[in-house]
Amino acid sequence: MLTFDKLKIVVSASDCIDNINLNKFSTISKNGVVTEYKYQQVSPYQLYIEKDVTDNEVIIEFTGKILGARYSELINQTNIRQCLQNLNALELCNLDIDTILNEGKVVKADVTIDTEYPDITSLTKELQSCIKNNERYTAVNKRGNFIVEKNVKTKNRKLRLTIYDKEQEMSLQDNQRWLQTLDEAEAKTFNDYFKNKIRFELNLNSVKAIKDWLCISDNSLSSVLSAEANPIMTFLDSILVDNAEAHIVHSLRDAERMALMKANDFDMKAIENVVKLHKAQSTKLSDMMKPYRELYKALNENEATGIKERLKDMLLEIFLIGFFVSF
C-alpha cells in the first residue's frame, strides 16, 4: 500500500467548500467581485486551502501531520477520509468530503516510506558511490538530507528522492511545536516510533510524473491511493548499480566490457563472437577475452549483497506489509 506525506488535490467544484472562516482566510477581489478565498499555514505543519470562484475549483494541500496521533500511518487509502474529517475539525471551513473523495484529482504527491536503518551516514556514502549516471542524476548532501535529482529541463519530468534521518528531523522546532499539540503519551509514542528511522521521500510534482511513476491511467484521488506500483523502489533500481559491480569496475574499459557482457546476458560464447568480430588480426582472441573472464569470475565470487538489492528487499517488505494491512 502506498503512503504519502503530502498530497495536493484539485476539485472542479467550488461548492464543495462552504462556511469559510473569513477571519482566517484571505479574500481576493477583482473589480469589487470576490474571486478567491485562500488559507495558508507553514507551522506547525503545512496546510493550504483555496476556493477559486472564477475557475470553479477547490485546491487542498496538506501533510501527514493532519492525522494527529495517527501520523505514523502517513496518508493512505485507509485514512484519507480521516484526513479530511480532521481538516473540517479545524473549523476553518467545511469541506464536502464525499465530493472530494469522488471527484478530487491529485496534482502533486510525496510518496513516502519510513524504515529502520542502523547508519544513515554509511548508507548515503554507499549510495553516492553507486549512482549509475552522474550526468543524468545529481546526488548531494544538504544539511543531512541526501538528495538525488534527475537532471532534466522539462518541469513535468523532474524527479527528486530525498533520504534523511527522521528521528533527527523530528527534533526541529516546527516538529516539536506540532508534538506539543498532542498529549504527553502520544508525543512519547512518536519519539519512540521514529527512533532510528530514516525516511525515503519521492516528490512527484506533475500529473505526468504521478501517472508514469504510479503506473496509473488517470490522476484521480482514488487511482493514486490504490496504485500498486512501488515508485521509490523503481527509482532506486533505475539509478543504482549493484555493489558487486561497483567494486570490480575500476576503469572506463572495465565499464565498456561490463556493458558488452550485459548486452549479451553474460553469455561468454556470445561475447567471444562479438570480440572475435572486432579484434585486430594480429591480436590473440584469448588475450582479448582474458579481462572479460576475470570480470565474470569476480562477479560470481562476490557474495556480498549489493546496496540496490538490500534496499529493494527492505522497501518491498514494507510495501507488502502495508498492502496486507489495507485488506
Side-chain angles (χ1 to χ4, degrees):
M1 178 176 65
L2 284 177
T3 51
F4 304 84
D5 191 42
K6 185 188 291 184
L7 289 179
K8 184 175 183 179
I9 303 168
V10 176
V11 188
S12 297
S14 61
D15 58 356
C16 73
I17 180 173
D18 57 22
N19 293 336
I20 292 174
N21 186 336
L22 297 179
N23 293 321
K24 299 288 186 179
F25 277 72
S26 299
T27 303
I28 300 170
S29 301
K30 186 175 182 179
N31 298 325
V33 178
V34 174
T35 58
E36 294 171 278
Y37 299 95
K38 292 183 179 180
Y39 174 83
Q40 184 171 18
Q41 70 174 48
V42 294
S43 179
Y45 56 87
Q46 294 181 37
L47 174 60
Y48 179 81
I49 306 172
E50 176 185 341
K51 177 176 181 175
D52 190 324
V53 179
T54 304
D55 290 340
N56 188 36
E57 68 180 20
V58 170
I59 302 169
I60 310 165
E61 186 170 8
F62 55 92
T63 68
K65 289 190 179 74
I66 193 63
L67 285 162
R70 296 176 63 181
Y71 173 48
S72 59
E73 298 176 18
L74 295 170
I75 304 164
N76 62 64
Q77 63 180 332
T78 68
N79 62 30
I80 184 63
R81 181 177 289 274
Q82 185 67 59
C83 292
L84 298 173
Q85 289 173 343
N86 288 0
L87 280 173
N88 277 343
L90 296 174
E91 298 184 347
L92 297 167
C93 59
N94 182 67
L95 300 169
D96 183 335
I97 293 175
D98 287 331
T99 297
I100 294 169
L101 292 177
N102 293 327
E103 300 180 22
K105 305 285 187 181
V106 179
V107 295
K108 288 186 179 181
D110 290 352
V111 183
T112 305
I113 293 176
D114 293 328
T115 183
E116 287 189 19
Y117 201 91
D119 185 355
I120 189 169
T121 302
S122 64
L123 170 66
T124 53
K125 283 182 179 178
E126 197 172 4
L127 283 169
Q128 187 120 33
S129 69
C130 293
I131 299 295
K132 189 181 296 184
N133 186 333
N134 284 290
E135 290 188 359
R136 190 176 183 189
Y137 299 99
T138 300
V140 295
N141 269 296
K142 290 184 180 179
R143 298 184 298 276
N145 295 339
F146 182 74
I147 302 170
V148 184
E149 290 185 287
K150 188 175 182 181
N151 293 327
V152 290
K153 293 182 180 180
T154 309
K155 184 178 179 181
N156 64 10
R157 293 184 182 275
K158 286 185 178 295
L159 207 63
R160 181 174 67 182
L161 175 68
T162 306
I163 304 171
Y164 58 94
D165 186 327
K166 184 60 181 175
E167 179 183 8
Q168 185 178 59
E169 195 253 359
M170 288 300 292
S171 68
L172 297 178
Q173 188 175 21
D174 278 349
N175 287 328
Q176 288 298 305
R177 191 177 296 124
W178 174 75
L179 286 172
Q180 290 168 10
T181 66
L182 309 176
D183 65 41
E184 187 176 340
E186 289 170 343
K188 183 180 184 308
T189 297
F190 279 114
N191 286 327
D192 292 342
Y193 176 79
F194 286 118
K195 192 172 182 60
N196 298 323
K197 287 283 199 313
I198 62 171
R199 172 164 287 189
F200 292 77
E201 189 172 282
L202 184 67
N203 306 128
L204 304 177
N205 292 325
S206 70
V207 172
K208 177 174 174 52
I210 288 168
K211 293 197 290 188
D212 286 351
W213 286 88
L214 300 189
C215 302
I216 51 180
S217 59
D218 65 82
N219 63 316
S220 67
L221 180 57
S222 59
S223 292
V224 168
L225 293 174
S226 61
E228 296 182 358
N230 191 334
I232 293 177
M233 189 172 74
T234 303
F235 184 71
L236 288 169
D237 190 38
S238 70
I239 68 170
L240 297 176
V241 298
D242 290 313
N243 253 23
E245 181 179 326
H247 289 317
I248 67 172
V249 174
H250 301 297
S251 67
L252 179 59
R253 289 295 293 125
D254 279 350
E256 290 170 347
R257 293 182 182 110
M258 185 64 71
L260 177 60
M261 292 168 72
K262 286 182 179 179
N264 288 276
D265 295 324
F266 297 92
D267 182 333
M268 296 307 291
K269 184 62 178 175
I271 295 165
E272 184 176 296
N273 289 337
V274 175
V275 172
K276 186 188 297 183
L277 184 65
H278 296 283
K279 81 175 185 67
Q281 195 169 13
S282 59
T283 308
K284 288 184 179 180
L285 181 61
S286 59
D287 290 342
M288 290 198 69
M289 284 301 299
K290 183 179 179 181
Y292 290 97
R293 299 192 190 284
E294 288 175 349
L295 281 173
Y296 186 78
K297 181 181 178 183
L299 275 174
N300 287 321
E301 287 179 349
N302 194 319
E303 296 179 357
T305 304
I307 187 171
K308 183 165 74 172
E309 294 306 315
R310 298 203 311 271
L311 289 176
K312 284 171 65 179
D313 289 346
M314 178 177 69
L315 296 174
L316 180 60
E317 180 181 359
I318 294 169
F319 184 79
L320 289 175
I321 289 172
F323 177 78
F324 287 117
V325 167
S326 67
F327 281 90

